[in-house]
């Protein structure tokens, strides 16, 4: 009904939202174009809408300058806001940060609840048009107007950069995958997002009113022009791929539907639907109904769309409906068709089965899927589509086979294998109507057991088959018409399993019997009741236990010496075969165990020998030996136990059996083993040492590694060093110090003299094991290198005063080992780390030079001679101001992971990544050198990763001649695509608050090749608020609300069958302060306090009153490090500190602090898992007098998590005073008194009452004891116990009464009623007695008794408050009935 200038917006459910110049805004069904609802305003709808939380639609109307929030169900107004924006040439956009941005004549930002964040007044000066566009990190906003294009800070609206592109800009910008800005004027421009420099220009001359739209894979930019054409532009080069003509001017952006097609509005009042690529579907114009006798169902697969140049193949899957597959109604489950370039149709023929069964029409479904792209893959849409195929009946005059003969059953193999052979003859009536038998079906007990194709005539029933059970087997025949009737049944004979004994443990047993033996075998039944008998040597033995179907425990009978057969008889299986020689009865000694099983070769250890038949007395034991070494002494304990003193093994380490020989039984068989151990040396580190110039070593330590190097330090007798050549050769010299580390490692401090150049032998002796010596090749002493180091080149020759520059030093005389260089200085400043590469090259990392810029020589000092390289000819290194140096750095690289097959191109972005292609020396990914790298600019490189044999993880590095080695902060990962699931490796930030609503970037691998491969992001079981696909390794989302704790965060693939490997995300609760020490500071000096708390981040911001004391590192060990707030009393941590920290993470490898020389360890790039924020944390903070505002008393202390934004403030912990600040005293000024009894003096003129004491306030100067003591709980606020209140906690609270000196809870109302009722009964009874008792004397006695009880109750009332036993109090309470006092 009106011209359309706005781009349509499409919701997740496919609804299309678009406004027109007739002041109406419409919601249209995307499937058929029908109208859902309309909204009418006082102004024209010229700009596009944005879809926010819960599908709320935000749109602006022009003339009335109103921002509308409309409900997606019916278009009802959620809220409206008069903004001052005309919305003439642009709409609204919701950024990745969740905020609304709009601009036209003015620029404004709102929350989704209609609250204004900022308004840019500068906008009035340059007439912005179109809809704003936000950068990928949400920190920048881009907007154009007339011929000027500008960049703003998105959170403030401040303009930071601008460029004139020479043409009118009325449309909105979009961003490509690299963050480049794509904007149309008369032509289309690609601009650098930082500098706004031009990357390319696509000349069309018609684009000033419209905006661009990117394809799903972000490789194609769609733009509409005043010439009525929709252009497709290559994002990488700016070349025009194709164009489509509409019926009028286009002043709005095209919209991409979920299926990848385009919706475009035109000035001819029409909405156009354009398919810019190939789509694949079934030709639904065809009638897919086939008679079963036609042979096959021909189904046409059609390719539509503008571009038909791509090649591909696609599967057609068959799914049964009422028709049955497998050759019953049709054949086949999957077909594949291939399309060549220009091909638009392919036909799939599904074979149909012509049977003789009269039946209604039946159906099956064909479905497209598994598209495999060929050439031109970016222009193929993977469209899933299904259609129904109907088969009409046309029966033929054939019949199913008749019943065959019954099958035969063979049992010959069953007793040993547990299987049955079923076989059958060739059926005489196998055919009917000339249709051959195709399948035989075998049934056991009416249940299908197996189907086999003809002409197979037997099968094996694999079981499991039960014992003593009858089975029925039948057979039926199948032809193409179906299955025939089953044969008559046959009964299998009774099945059974014979028990079999395989082994016994132990084998050797004494003839006296009574030995417990475990039998192992099979078919021992299902319990103790299954066992009829166990025969050992023909004697029925005692069954001690049934352990399992494969194990029994029995006791041996008394039998003569010799081997014995063993058999088992079960109730169902009968008698099993006898296993010969399963056990052996013997009177000879037998050794079953040795304790301990080892000892040193020269150690006289006591060894316990366990067995049976070990002699009848000490005299009967003739001999015993361990591994062939006779025992030096033997002590007979009993026939089952001997104690042997091990003899010394002259052969060193050896192993063998334990043999005991008795006079009555002879030698024992070799059943138990024993081993003698002796020391051995396998490695000495370092293997090469340089002899100092002085000829003497000073505190040089070597490490000896091997086996059995002693049991403890006292077992180590000596460690000697022997030179093989030179003076004193062959003389053993003890180490000046030795340390036993464990039985595989000993250290030795070399003697100062007696060690010469050449091979050196190290000998070690342990008191238990003997002596071991190294081979001459294990330790070599080389002559000192007395050359003078000479430095000839350095790269780079300058670096910032903040340090951290990697300097490669070339020259000669740098030494023959990694220990040759002792120090390197650059401009007289020692390097923080040194890496020895070779005799001609070393690398150092410069230290910071706080004194400022300077120039000086690079000097290398030899550790051997102490001589330094000459300075006169040395190259000069210059420290320059940090502000003048562009520090090389890697900001990001994408993707962050690649398959192990290699070939993936990684784009590396940063700054100063080489001055030219020749300056880039190497690029590595996880230590693997790239097979190819391309220098794009000083800010970008491209690297083709090399293949690796297995998954790998490591740093990404770039080495340049001018900047040295540059290490990325994040690590690069190689993965095996065959086994790896979508995996989250890191979340940025790694933690957040419980409320959610903040952006989180997930890094990982195999997230998918396109946005459609990702379904959502899950935090635990809660879906993220928004999910944005960036690449296969990066996804941006908005975290949902969640309870505190660690939750798995995972990327949910669109294919639900794929697993997903989650990462971790921390939800932090609100931070708390649990303690502060000390709590009192002097007002004159301040001091250092330690704050303890929970739910803190790795850094927290501390504020005292209004003074922000900066960020402080949190210690989880209870040893906090003092922050730098003393030097920054007015604001947060300085920019220099922050910059240094970031540089250290991004550029410096870790430095080993264990090496006596500072050398570079392996390059590290991993981001460590953050410390557990749920663990208690502590920080140390310096408080100055100025922070306390020069005021005494309590001061508010605030701790804030900068990452999550959570804050805790407390005014209870920090107290400042100059009055008696020492704890334990109180008073004013210097007049201090000791804390009174019952008081706690925390410092200052303050007294807090202890439990049982009270005061009116902490500044009262006294405390008073409470009565009773339990009424007062003490503390700073003098808290009363439950039931007490008022001064001295001496008053009973409501619902409490005083009794026995204490405040007691009032009894329940039922108790009072019962008490009154009892009292009434007593007095009514007394009144009745007065009436009916005639004898007045008896009545007088009754009066006297009641009076006496009343007096006793009165005494109890008077004594109330005195300590009385509980039973006495109970008696008095009962007597109150007689006095009416309750």
């Amino acid at each position: 009904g009106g011209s359309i200038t706005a781009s349509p917006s499409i919701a997740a459910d496919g609804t299309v939202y678009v406004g027109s110049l007739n002041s109406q805004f419409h919601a249209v069904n995307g499937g058929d174009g029908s109208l859902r609802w309309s909204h009418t305003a006082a102004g024209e709808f010229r700009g596009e809408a944005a879809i926010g939380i819960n599908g709320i639609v935000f749109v602006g109307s022009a003339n009335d300058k109103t921002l509308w929030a409309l409900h997606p169900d019916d278009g009802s107004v959620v809220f409206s806001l008069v903004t001052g924006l005309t919305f003439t040439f642009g709409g609204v956009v919701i950024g990745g940060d969740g905020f609304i941005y709009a601009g036209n004549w003015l620029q404004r930002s709102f929350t989704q609840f209609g609250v204004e964040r900022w308004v840019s007044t500068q906008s009035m000066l340059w007439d912005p048009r179109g809809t704003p566009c936000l950068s990928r990190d949400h920190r920048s906003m881009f907007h154009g107007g007339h011929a000027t294009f500008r960049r703003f800070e998105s959170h403030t609206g401040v303009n930071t950069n601008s460029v004139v592109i020479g043409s009118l800009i009325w449309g909105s910008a979009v961003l490509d995958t690299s963050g480049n800005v794509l904007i149309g004027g008369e032509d289309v421009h690609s601009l650098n997002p930082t500098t706004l420099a031009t990357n390319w220009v696509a000349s069309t001359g018609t684009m000033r009113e419209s905006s661009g739209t990117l394809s799903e894979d972000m490789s194609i930019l769609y733009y509409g022009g005043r010439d009525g054409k929709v252009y497709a532009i290559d994002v990488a080069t700016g070349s025009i791929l194709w164009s489509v003509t509409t019926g009028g001017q286009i002043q709005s952006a095209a919209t991409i539907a979920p299926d990848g097609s385009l919706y475009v509005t035109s000035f001819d009042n029409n909405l156009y639907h354009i398919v810019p690529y190939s789509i694949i579907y079934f030709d639904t114009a065809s009638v897919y109904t086939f008679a079963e006798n036609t042979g096959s169902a021909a189904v046409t697969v059609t390719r539509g769309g503008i571009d038909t140049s791509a090649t591909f193949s696609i599967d057609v899957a068959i799914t049964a409906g009422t028709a049955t597959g497998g050759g019953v109604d049709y054949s086949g489950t999957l077909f594949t068709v291939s399309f060549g370039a220009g091909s638009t149709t392919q036909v799939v023929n599904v074979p149909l089965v012509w049977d003789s069964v009269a039946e209604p029409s039946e159906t099956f479904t064909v479905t497209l899927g598994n598209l495999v792209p060929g050439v031109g893959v970016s222009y193929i849409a993977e469209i899933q589509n299904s259609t129904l195929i109907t088969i009409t009946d046309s029966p033929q005059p054939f019949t199913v086979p008749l019943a065959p003969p019954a099958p035969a059953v063979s049992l010959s193999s069953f007793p040993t294998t547990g299987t049955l052979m079923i076989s059958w003859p060739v059926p005489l009536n196998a055919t009917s109507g000339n249709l051959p038998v195709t399948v035989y079906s075998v049934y056991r007990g009416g249940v299908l057991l197996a189907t086999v194709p003809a002409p197979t005539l037997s099968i094996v029933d694999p079981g499991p088959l039960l014992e003593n059970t009858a089975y029925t087997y039948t057979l039926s025949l199948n032809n193409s018409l179906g299955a025939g009737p089953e044969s008559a049944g046959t009964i299998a004979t009774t099945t059974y399993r014979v028990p079999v004994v395989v082994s016994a443990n132990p084998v050797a047993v004494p003839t006296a019997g009574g030995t417990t033996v475990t039998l192992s075998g099979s078919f021992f039944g299902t319990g103790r009741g299954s066992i009829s008998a166990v025969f050992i040597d023909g004697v029925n033995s005692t069954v001690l236990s049934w352990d399992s179907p494969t194990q029994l425990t029995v006791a041996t009978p008394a039998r003569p010496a010799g081997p014995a057969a063993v058999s088992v008889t079960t109730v169902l299986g009968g008698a099993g075969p006898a296993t010969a020689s399963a056990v052996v009865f013997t009177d000879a000694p037998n050794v079953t165990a040795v304790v301990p099983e080892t000892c040193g070769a020269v150690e006289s250890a006591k060894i316990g020998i366990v067995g049976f038949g070990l002699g009848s007395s000490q005299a009967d034991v003739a001999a015993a030996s361990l591994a062939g070494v006779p025992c030096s002494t033997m002590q007979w304990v009993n026939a089952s136990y001997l104690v042997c003193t091990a003899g010394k093994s002259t052969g060193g380490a050896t192993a063998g059996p334990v043999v005991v020989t008795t006079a009555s039984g002879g030698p024992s068989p070799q059943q138990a083993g024993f081993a003698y151990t002796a020391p051995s040396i396998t490695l000495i580190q370092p293997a090469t040492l340089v002899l100092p110039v002085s000829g003497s070593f000073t505190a040089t330590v070597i490490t000896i590694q091997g086996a059995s190097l002693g049991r403890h330090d006292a077992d180590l007798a000596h460690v000697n060093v022997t030179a093989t050549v030179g003076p004193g050769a062959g003389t053993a010299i003890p180490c000046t110090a030795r340390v036993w580390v464990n039985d595989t490692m000993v250290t030795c401090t070399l003697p100062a003299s007696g060690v010469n150049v050449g091979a050196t032998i190290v000998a070690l002796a342990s008191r238990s094991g003997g002596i071991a010596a190294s081979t001459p090749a294990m330790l070599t002493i080389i002559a000192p290198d007395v050359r003078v180091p000479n430095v000839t080149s350095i790269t780079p020759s300058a670096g910032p005063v903040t340090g951290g520059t990697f300097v490669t030093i070339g020259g000669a005389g740098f030494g023959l080992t990694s220990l040759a260089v002792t120090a390197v200085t650059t401009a007289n400043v020692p390097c923080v780390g040194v890496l020895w590469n070779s005799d001609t090259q070393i690398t150092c990392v410069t230290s910071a030079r706080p004194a400022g810029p300077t120039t000086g020589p690079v000097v290398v000092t030899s550790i051997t001679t102490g001589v330094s390289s000459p300075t006169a000819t040395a190259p000069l290194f210059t420290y320059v101001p940090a502000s003048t140096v562009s520090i090389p750095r890697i900001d990001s690289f994408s993707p962050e992971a690649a398959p192990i097959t290699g070939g993936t191109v990684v784009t590396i972005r940063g700054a100063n990544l080489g001055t030219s292609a020749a300056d880039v020396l190497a690029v590595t990914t996880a230590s693997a050198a790239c097979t190819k790298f391309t220098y794009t600019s000083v800010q970008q490189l491209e690297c083709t990763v090399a293949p690796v044999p297995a998954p790998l993880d490591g740093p990404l590095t770039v080495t340049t001649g001018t900047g040295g080695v540059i290490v990325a902060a994040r690590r690069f990962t190689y993965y095996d695509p065959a086994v790896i699931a979508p995996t989250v490796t890191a979340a940025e930030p790694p933690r957040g608050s419980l409320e959610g609503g903040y952006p989180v970037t997930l890094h990982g691998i195999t997230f998918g090749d396109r946005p459609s491969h990702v379904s959502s992001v899950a935090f635990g079981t809660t879906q993220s608020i928004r999910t944005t696909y960036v690449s296969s390794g990066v996804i941006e989302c908005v975290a949902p609300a969640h309870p505190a704790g660690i939750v798995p965060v995972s990327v949910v693939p669109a294919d639900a069958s794929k697993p997903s490997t989650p990462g971790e995300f921390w939800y932090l609760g609100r931070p708390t302060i649990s303690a502060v020490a000390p709590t009192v500071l002097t007002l004159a000096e301040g001091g250092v306090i330690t704050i303890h708390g929970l739910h803190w981040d790795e850094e927290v911001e501390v504020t005292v009153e209004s003074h922000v004391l900066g960020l402080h590192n949190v210690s989880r060990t209870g040893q906090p490090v003092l922050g730098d707030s003393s030097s920054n009393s007015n604001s947060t941590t300085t920019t220099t500190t922050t910059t240094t920290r970031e540089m250290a993470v991004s550029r410096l490898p870790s430095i080993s602090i264990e090496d006596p020389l500072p050398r570079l360890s392996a390059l590290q790039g991993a981001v460590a898992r953050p410390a557990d924020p749920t663990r208690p944390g502590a920080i140390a903070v310096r408080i100055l007098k100025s922070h306390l505002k020069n005021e005494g008393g309590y001061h508010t202390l605030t701790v804030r998590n900068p990452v999550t934004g959570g804050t805790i403030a407390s005014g209870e912990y920090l107290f400042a005073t100059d009055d008696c600040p020492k704890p334990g005293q109180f008073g004013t000024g210097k007049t201090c008194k000791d804390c009174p009894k019952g008081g706690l003096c925390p410092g200052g003129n303050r007294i807090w009452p202890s439990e049982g004491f009270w005061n009116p306030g902490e500044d009262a100067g006294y405390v008073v004891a409470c009565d009773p003591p339990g009424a007062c709980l003490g503390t700073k606020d003098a808290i009363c116990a439950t039931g007490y209140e008022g001064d001295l906690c001496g008053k009973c609270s409501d619902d409490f009464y005083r009794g026995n000196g204490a405040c007691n809870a009032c009894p329940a109302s039922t108790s009072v009623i019962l008490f009154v009722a009892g009292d009434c009964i007593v007095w009514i009874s007394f009144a009745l007695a007065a009436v009916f008792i005639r004898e007045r004397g008896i009545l007088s006695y009754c009066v006297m008794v009641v009076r006496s009880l009343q007096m006793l109750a009165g005494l109890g009332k008077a004594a109330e408050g005195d300590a009385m036993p509980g039973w006495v109090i109970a008696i008095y309470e009962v007597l109150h009935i007689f006095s009416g006092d309750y």
Side-chain angles (χ1 to χ4, degrees), residues 788-791 825 828 856-861 868-876:
V788 176
N790 185 36
V791 179
T825 60
N828 298 318
V858 175
V859 178
V860 176
T861 302
S868 302
S869 58
T871 58
T873 59
L876 300 180

Side-chain angles (χ1 to χ4, degrees), residues 364-411:
F364 63 90
T365 302
V366 291
T367 303
L368 293 172
N370 190 30
L371 183 145
V372 180
V375 179
V377 296
S378 62
Y379 303 111
I380 301 175
E382 187 174 343
I383 302 298
Q384 299 292 332
N385 200 358
S386 299
T387 194
L388 193 69
I389 309 299
T390 302
I391 307 173
T392 59
D393 191 35
S394 179
Q396 56 179 322
F398 298 138
T399 62
V400 298
L402 303 178
V409 179
S410 171
L411 296 175

Side-chain angles (χ1 to χ4, degrees), residues 477-824:
L477 311 181
N478 300 51
N479 62 17
S480 60
L481 298 181
E486 295 181 33
S487 64
T490 183
I491 305 299
T493 56
T494 301
T495 58
Y496 60 91
R497 294 175 185 261
V498 177
V500 178
V501 175
V502 176
S503 63
N505 184 34
V507 174
V509 295
T511 57
T515 301
T516 299
V517 175
T518 301
L519 302 181
S520 298
S522 56
F523 313 134
F524 290 164
T526 58
R528 177 63 182 85
S530 301
I531 308 300
S532 298
V534 175
F535 293 95
I536 299 178
D537 200 23
V539 177
N540 194 355
S541 305
T542 302
V543 179
L544 299 179
S545 66
W546 179 92
D547 304 323
S548 71
T550 61
Q551 182 174 297
L552 298 175
T553 302
V554 300
T556 61
R559 301 301 296 157
V566 179
S567 67
V568 174
T569 301
T570 62
V571 174
L572 298 179
T579 303
S581 302
V583 296
V584 177
F585 288 92
T586 179
D587 289 324
N590 271 261
V591 177
T592 58
V594 182
V595 182
E597 297 178 339
T598 64
C599 77
V602 297
E603 180 183 13
S604 298
K606 299 294 184 181
I607 308 298
I609 302 174
V610 182
F612 64 89
L614 303 181
S616 57
S617 65
Q618 181 72 40
D620 191 30
V621 181
S625 63
L626 308 172
V629 179
C631 296
S632 59
T633 65
M634 294 173 292
Q635 179 186 354
W636 180 86
V637 179
N638 54 46
S640 301
Y641 191 68
L642 295 179
V643 178
C644 158
T645 302
K648 295 184 178 181
S649 173
T650 58
T654 184
V658 177
V659 179
V660 174
T661 303
T662 64
S664 59
S668 62
Q670 299 180 2
Q671 290 182 317
F674 186 82
Y676 281 98
T677 61
S680 63
I681 298 175
T682 58
L683 180 67
I684 296 177
Q685 293 181 321
T688 303
L689 289 172
V690 179
L691 186 68
V693 176
S694 63
S696 299
F697 286 104
T698 303
T700 300
V701 178
I702 61 173
T703 300
I704 305 164
Q705 298 183 23
S708 303
L709 303 180
R711 298 176 178 172
H712 43 72
D713 191 68
D715 190 34
L716 199 61
H718 64 257
V719 181
N720 296 332
V721 180
T722 305
T724 60
V725 295
T731 302
I733 304 174
C735 295
T736 57
R738 57 175 173 77
V739 177
W740 181 88
V741 180
N742 53 45
D743 63 346
T744 64
M745 182 180 294
V746 173
T747 64
C748 156
T749 303
L750 293 179
S753 59
V755 181
N756 306 321
V757 173
T760 303
I761 295 175
V762 178
L764 176 147
S766 76
R767 292 182 171 84
S768 61
I771 299 174
S774 66
T775 64
M778 289 185 183
L779 178 60
T780 303
I781 310 299
I782 63 176
D785 185 1
V786 296
R787 295 176 299 163
V788 176
N790 185 36
V791 179
T792 59
S793 65
I794 59 171
T795 302
S797 60
V801 294
T802 52
T805 303
F806 284 72
V807 180
T808 301
I809 304 171
F814 295 158
L816 304 178
T817 69
S818 59
L819 301 176
V821 177
T822 186
V824 178

Side-chain angles (χ1 to χ4, degrees), residues 341-374:
S343 175
T344 58
T345 59
Q346 295 291 333
V347 177
V348 175
N349 290 294
V350 183
L352 302 181
V353 176
W354 186 24
D355 58 30
S356 60
V357 180
E359 54 193 354
S361 296
E362 299 171 308
T363 62
F364 63 90
T365 302
V366 291
T367 303
L368 293 172
N370 190 30
L371 183 145
V372 180

Side-chain angles (χ1 to χ4, degrees), residues 1079-1104:
T1079 59
V1080 180
L1081 297 178
T1082 60
L1083 187 58
E1085 299 178 0
V1088 176
I1089 63 172
T1090 300
I1091 309 172
H1092 300 263
L1094 289 173
H1095 305 299
W1096 289 1
D1097 212 331
E1098 292 177 294
E1099 289 183 323
V1100 294
E1101 182 185 79
V1102 180
T1103 303
V1104 174

